[in-house]
Amino acid sequence: MSENPAPRTRMSLMLRMRQEPDNQSAWNEFVREYGPQIYAWCRRWQLQPADAEDVTQTVLLKLSRHLRTFT
């Protein structure tokens, strides 16, 4: 069974999110692109669907809090 490769991180998107943390469009794009990948990792680790959703949200929330200082 072949797995889909992880999407490459788009530095332009990360930079937009860092420079404009309230840019809802950039965050929506990030969540749409990377949220499913985070969720898929959680499911591969055999988390139940609800737990995988919780972990995905937690990861995205922590990212939003720490992105301003990310280099």
Side-chain angles (χ1 to χ4, degrees):
M1 175 168 111
S2 69
E3 294 183 27
N4 292 334
R8 290 190 55 116
T9 302
R10 291 192 2 243
M11 295 312 292
S12 61
L13 178 58
M14 296 294 287
L15 184 59
R16 258 179 40 215
M17 292 169 51
R18 181 176 177 210
Q19 291 176 336
E20 304 171 46
D22 296 327
N23 183 331
Q24 194 61 48
S25 174
W27 279 104
N28 288 341
E29 187 177 342
F30 184 85
V31 169
R32 192 172 46 251
E33 192 163 327
Y34 298 102
Q37 186 66 43
I38 297 167
Y39 179 84
W41 287 330
C42 292
R43 292 294 289 146
R44 275 194 294 261
W45 294 327
Q46 301 188 6
L47 287 163
Q48 296 297 318
D51 294 332
E53 289 174 11
D54 288 345
V55 170
T56 299
Q57 288 179 355
T58 299
V59 168
L60 293 169
L61 180 60
K62 286 187 178 195
L63 173 66
S64 73
R65 290 180 179 155
H66 296 285
L67 191 59
R68 290 179 206 199
T69 60
F70 177 77
T71 56

